[in-house]
């Protein structure tokens, strides 16, 4: 009986031309989102591969060279050590931070105190300003709209058309009827969203991402379920299709547009980010003051190219620069720490308050699952910080002591290998978001169930 | 069997149904006459469980409607003044949909037969309801009553707006259902149809049953006089 009613609801939906148009538009938006994500992921992967290949080539050349003779550490230190963030596990799912935060950095001994690189690839500024039209954008911002367009008048339309009285008179519990109708009408959109999520995993996911993909699917379905439950709750009390549509439209604006903006503003007010220029200015000031003590123009030139300093003075220039740099590093460290700490505080606050809107929770979960979220990029930055320290620890004493690098040192040279966040950590964040969304959907469902009591609904139908 | 015992309903302190006692036995067609606002539709809403009574009780087959409206509705078929159906569905599909809501499943052949028994032309069964006349939609309503095999039928101004031929056809169907043991309560303004079809007639004024008559005992002209007399009283 249940499945027959479900099929009849689907057939009723299939008779609406507007439903087909909406499904077509949603499918197009999903495909466009995946294709955009794919282009970005491909470009980032090409850059990362080129850097990795270059680094590998250098290592081979260095090994061959060291097999014949020792090398001046300044020459190797000047070449730099590449740190590359491995490709995101599900990059097609969400661009996340990947178009803002660099996924690679070359750590050069002489520039350890300089601020970290920003992106080196060319990027359309309008993309950075408006965000990308990626799959996460379609799923978080547009998917609710398309879903609501199919379920906004679950019952309010029947109330207006007069079919509600006849339907209720048949002796079905209203909530059973509405739950079936809601699921039947939402099913095509939920299916398309689920297929798109799976497609993002199959076409762009790396190996071993089954759990991430399964969780992404669960997040997408739970997010959809939240909006269906909201439509159910609104329909339980709305007296007309127009009022139901208005209420749901307002809810979309509030939850998808206003709440995230409000949260950003609040977080920015509570934990204002020190400006990046402030960080750069602090570095310059500290550098200028330090250089005054050692100070000529020549020093500045040899600072960047100590290997070009006259024989016999190279170590002096290099040692002097390292000392200056160390002082600059010490001077700007508080500003750098403040900068990083504020960013972390902001993100922690966003994580804590993400249930203000399921849109925030869904977006955070999807970027986390894609591997393009804040926390993975932060882990990368922290590990690059570790590499900077390792580079300094390895080269500085050798340069001061004027020791050459030999074959015995080759394996000890600092190298970068990214350590992924433990699965339990990111999974914990995602499962919390998922549970929160399901709890919100459940609460709305329970509220709708209370308001779909036979007598109350009968009264609304009279 | 349909029964109301001292059934009372007020809206904002205004009495709509006032200690109404009614009993419609199986095979009976009870016509509830009364002017607009007399409480006819409210009585039907109370029997359907769409409204909760302020006092008294509505019963269907002996079971209290207020205690379990869903169960009560499963024993009732209801035909409103305007049988509103899904215009994008055909007659057969509408019948299938609404009878499935009531927990009954029929084959396509059974559904077509039910529509035929209700008097809907065979060629119309698969046509979209959006093209149906009011009379045809009323027939789908009758078919739904037949499909649910209900023991009680509630009709709210069912012949209002029907042409005389359709109205006559509808009356024949009602008499047939009554003959099959269905208890029928019909709220109507139509004195002629009430006199022709009903076994008993009740005149409702200000929510109270002002008079109750067996149709065998009164002629049409007498009914009109009685009706007006109760209204003026």
């Amino acid at each position: 009986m249940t499945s027959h009613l479900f099929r009849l609801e689907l057939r009723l939906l299939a008779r609406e031309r507007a439903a087909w148009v909406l499904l077509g538009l949603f499918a197009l938006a999903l495909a466009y989102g995946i294709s955009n994500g794919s282009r970005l992921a491909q470009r980032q992967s090409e850059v990362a591969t080129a850097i990795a290949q270059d680094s590998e080539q250098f290592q081979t050349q260095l090994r061959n060279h060291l097999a014949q003779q020792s090398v001046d550490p300044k020459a190797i230190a000047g070449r730099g050590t590449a740190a590359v963030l491995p490709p995101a596990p599900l990059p097609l799912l969400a661009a996340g931070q990947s178009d803002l935060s660099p996924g690679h950095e070359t750590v050069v001994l002489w520039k350890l105190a300089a601020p970290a690189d920003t992106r080196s690839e060319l990027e359309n500024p309008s993309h950075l300003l408006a965000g990308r039209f990626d799959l996460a954008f379609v799923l978080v911002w547009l998917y609710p709209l398309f879903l609501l367009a199919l379920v906004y008048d679950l019952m309010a339309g029947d109330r207006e058309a007069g079919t509600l009285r006849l339907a209720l008179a048949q002796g079905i519990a209203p909530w059973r009827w509405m739950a079936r109708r809601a699921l039947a009408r939402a099913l095509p959109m939920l299916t398309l969203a689920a297929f798109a999520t799976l497609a993002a995993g199959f076409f762009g996911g790396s190996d071993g991402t089954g759990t991430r993909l399964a969780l992404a699917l669960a997040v997408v379905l739970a997010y959809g379920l939240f909006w269906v439950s909201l439509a159910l709750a609104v329909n339980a009390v709305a007296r007309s299709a127009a009022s139901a549509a208005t209420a749901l439209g307002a809810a979309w604006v509030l939850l998808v547009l206003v709440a995230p903006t409000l949260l950003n503003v609040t977080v920015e007010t509570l934990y204002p980010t020190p400006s990046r220029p402030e960080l750069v200015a602090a570095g310059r000031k500290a550098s200028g003051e330090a250089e005054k003590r050692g100070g000529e123009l020549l020093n500045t030139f040899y600072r960047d190219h100590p290997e070009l300093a006259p024989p016999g003075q190279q170590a002096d220039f290099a040692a002097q620069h390292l000392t200056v740099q160390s002082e600059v590093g010490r001077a700007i460290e508080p500003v750098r720490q403040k900068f990083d700490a504020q960013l972390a505080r902001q993100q922690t606050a966003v994580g804590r308050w993400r249930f203000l809107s399921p849109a925030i929770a869904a977006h955070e979960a999807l970027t986390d699952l894609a591997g393009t979220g804040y926390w993975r990029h932060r882990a990368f930055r922290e590990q690059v910080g570790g590499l900077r320290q390792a580079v300094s620890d390895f080269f500085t004493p050798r340069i001061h002591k004027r020791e050459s690098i030999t074959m015995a040192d080759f394996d000890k040279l600092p190298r970068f290998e990214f350590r992924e966040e433990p699965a339990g950590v990111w999974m914990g964040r995602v499962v919390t978001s998922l549970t929160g969304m399901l709890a919100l959907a459940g609460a709305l469902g329970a509220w709708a169930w209370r308001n779909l009591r036979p007598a109350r609904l009968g009264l609304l139908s009279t | 069997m349909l029964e109301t015992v001292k059934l009372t309903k007020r809206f904002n302190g205004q009495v709509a149904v006032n200690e109404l006692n009614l009993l419609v036995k199986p095979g009976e067609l009870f016509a509830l006459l009364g002017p607009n606002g007399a409480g006819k539709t409210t009585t039907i809403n109370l029997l359907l469980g769409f409204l909760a009574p302020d006092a008294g009780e509505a019963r269907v087959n002996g079971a209290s409607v207020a205690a379990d409206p869903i169960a009560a509705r499963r024993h009732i078929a209801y035909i409103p003044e305007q049988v509103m159906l899904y215009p994008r569905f055909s007659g057969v599909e509408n019948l299938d949909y609404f009878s499935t809501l009531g927990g009954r499943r029929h084959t396509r052949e059974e559904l077509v037969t039910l529509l035929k028994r209700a008097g809907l032309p065979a060629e119309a069964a698969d046509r979209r309801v959006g093209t149906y006349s009011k009379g045809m939609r009323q027939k789908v309503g009758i078919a739904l009553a037949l499909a649910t095999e209900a023991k009680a039928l509630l009709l709210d101004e069912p012949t209002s707006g029907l042409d005389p031929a359709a109205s006559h056809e509808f009356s024949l169907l009602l008499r047939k259902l009554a003959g099959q043991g269905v208890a029928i309560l019909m709220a109507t303004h139509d004195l002629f149809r009430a006199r022709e079809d009903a076994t008993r007639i009740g005149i409702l004024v200000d929510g109270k049953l002002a008079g109750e008559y067996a149709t065998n005992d009164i002629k049409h002209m007498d009914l009109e006089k009685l009706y007006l007399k109760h209204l003026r009283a």
Side-chain angles (χ1 to χ4, degrees):
Chain A
M1 209 65 72
T2 300
S3 61
H4 187 59
L5 185 58
F6 199 76
R7 277 201 298 277
L8 285 167
E9 290 288 357
L10 279 176
R11 199 188 298 172
L12 199 54
L13 178 68
R15 297 274 164 86
E16 292 174 28
R17 199 173 298 161
W20 289 103
V21 173
L22 285 169
L23 285 168
L25 286 174
F26 186 49
L28 279 177
L30 288 168
Y32 185 59
I34 290 178
S35 126
N36 261 344
S38 167
R39 274 202 295 274
L40 177 68
Q42 192 180 348
R43 213 173 63 206
Q44 289 172 350
S45 164
E46 280 167 6
V47 171
T49 308
I51 293 171
Q53 278 174 351
D54 183 53
S55 174
E56 206 170 308
Q57 205 176 349
F58 173 69
Q59 293 286 322
T60 312
Q61 285 171 354
L62 182 63
R63 182 194 282 272
N64 293 340
H65 200 80
L66 288 173
Q68 292 162 12
Q69 61 181 87
S70 59
V71 177
D72 185 342
K74 294 189 291 299
I76 304 173
R79 177 69 168 68
T81 308
V84 179
L85 178 67
L90 293 172
L92 271 55
L93 193 60
Q97 302 262 325
S98 66
D99 57 352
L100 286 171
S101 301
H104 54 82
E105 191 175 330
T106 302
V107 174
V108 182
L109 180 68
W110 318 119
K111 296 178 181 173
L112 287 181
D117 288 347
T118 46
R119 290 198 69 80
S120 52
E121 303 98 86
L122 282 174
E123 183 61 86
N124 184 340
S126 68
H127 285 166
L128 298 179
L129 190 67
R132 282 195 171 266
F133 195 109
D134 59 354
L135 185 58
F137 170 77
V138 180
L139 290 173
V140 174
W141 274 264
L142 304 183
Y143 170 48
L145 270 185
F146 281 105
L147 254 181
L148 292 179
L150 288 190
V151 298
Y152 78 95
D153 67 343
L154 282 174
M155 193 162 51
D158 284 72
R159 195 168 288 157
E160 274 180 333
T163 37
L164 182 62
R165 278 177 74 79
L166 191 61
L168 292 179
Q170 304 312 310
I172 187 168
W175 69 269
R176 277 180 195 273
W177 177 38
M178 279 303 110
R180 279 171 186 76
R181 170 171 281 188
L183 285 179
R185 291 187 74 90
L187 186 69
M189 289 292 178
L190 294 176
T191 308
L192 276 180
F195 267 123
T197 308
L198 290 174
F202 287 132
F203 296 123
S206 27
D207 293 338
T209 51
T211 311
R212 283 180 185 268
L213 197 55
L215 280 170
L217 201 60
V219 166
V220 168
L221 293 178
Y223 185 53
L225 202 62
F226 165 80
W227 288 101
V228 174
S229 302
L230 184 66
L232 204 57
V234 167
N235 269 270
V237 290
R239 285 188 173 268
S240 70
S243 60
T246 308
L248 288 168
W252 181 83
V253 169
L254 194 72
L255 295 175
V256 177
L257 299 181
V258 177
T261 312
L262 209 62
L263 183 60
N264 273 343
V265 170
T266 310
V267 159
E268 187 59 43
T269 310
L270 288 174
Y271 311 108
T273 321
S275 69
R276 203 164 181 83
E278 187 190 335
L279 182 65
V280 174
R284 280 186 187 150
K285 189 180 166 207
S287 175
E289 283 170 1
E291 276 179 13
K292 268 180 204 166
R293 294 196 290 270
E296 301 120 0
L297 284 173
L298 189 61
N299 281 6
T300 310
F301 176 76
Y302 286 140
R303 180 192 61 194
D304 291 335
H305 306 285
E307 69 278 11
L308 299 179
Q313 288 185 32
Q314 281 186 7
D316 295 337
F317 281 115
Q320 183 182 324
H321 173 60
L322 288 176
T323 312
V324 168
Q325 183 174 257
S326 169
E327 182 128 355
V328 171
R330 265 197 301 275
I332 65 166
E333 189 54 25
V335 183
R336 195 202 300 273
Q337 274 182 3
K338 193 174 152 199
F339 188 83
D340 287 345
Q342 286 294 74
L343 278 184
R345 278 192 203 109
Q346 283 185 355
Q347 195 59 32
T348 306
V350 168
R352 195 173 298 139
W353 293 100
R354 63 189 184 273
F355 297 116
L356 272 181
S357 159
I360 303 172
H363 192 257
E364 290 292 307
L366 289 178
T367 51
D368 239 340
L369 288 165
T372 55
Y374 167 82
W375 294 108
R376 188 164 181 262
H377 277 86
R378 182 187 163 89
F380 175 66
R381 283 199 303 277
E382 282 175 354
Q383 289 177 37
V384 169
L387 177 67
R388 282 164 177 258
Q389 189 60 51
V391 165
S392 174
D393 292 349
F394 182 83
F395 288 107
T396 306
R398 284 175 171 81
I399 289 171
H400 280 299
K401 287 190 260 174
R402 301 181 188 188
E403 280 177 8
S404 296
I405 304 290
T406 63
M407 193 59 184
D409 295 317
F410 182 76
D411 288 336
K412 295 176 200 156
L413 281 167
R415 290 179 180 86
F416 184 79
E417 195 172 343
F418 181 67
R419 293 180 308 281
E420 291 283 357
E421 245 189 323
V425 177
W426 61 259
M427 230 184 257
R429 286 194 302 268
V430 171
V431 169
T432 308
S433 289
L434 187 62
T435 312
M437 279 189 282
L438 287 172
L440 284 172
L444 282 169
W447 192 80
W449 177 76
R450 260 179 63 83
N451 283 288
L452 285 171
R453 281 168 300 178
R456 184 182 156 70
L457 206 62
L459 183 64
L460 280 174
S461 77
T462 56
Chain B
M1 189 168 67
L2 293 163
E3 191 179 7
T4 66
V5 182
K6 291 194 168 183
L7 191 66
T8 303
K9 180 70 190 173
R10 293 182 198 91
F11 293 111
N12 302 321
Q14 191 83 26
V15 180
V17 175
N18 193 1
E19 297 192 346
L20 181 67
N21 291 307
L22 273 183
L23 181 64
V24 186
K25 292 179 187 157
E28 257 191 336
L29 199 164
F30 190 99
L32 200 57
L33 289 173
N36 289 334
K40 303 187 295 294
T41 301
T42 303
T43 305
I44 286 181
N45 282 333
L46 288 162
L47 278 162
L48 280 167
F50 285 170
L51 295 174
D54 292 315
E57 197 171 44
R59 291 179 197 152
V60 175
N61 283 351
S64 166
V65 175
D68 190 351
I70 303 285
R73 286 174 201 166
R74 285 179 183 261
H75 298 291
I76 304 173
Y78 165 63
I79 302 179
E81 181 180 352
Q82 298 271 356
V83 175
M84 299 311 294
L85 303 165
Y86 291 109
R88 290 192 182 91
F89 264 174
S90 67
V92 172
E93 285 170 325
N94 266 294
L95 186 55
D96 193 9
Y97 184 87
F98 285 103
S99 56
T100 304
L101 281 183
R104 293 162 195 91
R105 182 78 199 275
H106 299 278
T107 63
R108 190 191 137 74
E109 288 69 32
E110 285 169 341
L111 293 168
V112 171
T113 307
L114 286 165
L115 286 170
K116 261 189 207 161
R117 278 176 61 197
L120 194 78
E123 53 83 25
D126 287 318
R127 230 168 60 203
R128 289 204 179 178
V129 158
T131 65
Y132 280 20
S133 65
K134 186 189 170 189
M136 290 164 87
R137 282 188 277 121
Q138 297 296 94
K139 283 169 185 168
V140 177
I142 288 277
L144 184 56
L146 295 171
T148 53
E149 294 171 349
K151 296 290 171 215
L153 179 58
L154 293 172
L155 303 150
D156 194 0
E157 310 279 4
T159 54
S160 149
L162 290 185
D163 64 55
S167 184
H168 174 70
E169 215 176 327
F170 190 80
S171 295
L172 291 176
L173 282 165
L174 288 188
R175 282 186 225 170
K176 209 179 201 178
L177 282 171
Q180 288 166 5
V182 178
I184 303 175
L185 176 68
M186 175 170 72
T188 182
H189 288 294
D190 189 340
L191 300 186
F192 175 75
R193 283 264 72 92
R195 169 67 187 80
E196 287 297 300
D197 301 334
T199 46
R200 280 188 304 137
I201 294 172
I203 299 173
L204 199 64
V205 181
D206 295 334
K208 253 188 170 336
L209 205 56
E212 192 179 335
Y213 308 94
T215 41
N216 288 339
D217 301 341
I218 49 172
K219 291 181 183 160
H220 182 68
M221 286 306 288
D222 295 339
L223 177 60
E224 194 166 0
K225 279 180 195 158
L226 283 168
Y227 182 72
L228 291 171
K229 188 186 95 182
H230 283 300
L231 252 60
R232 284 172 193 146

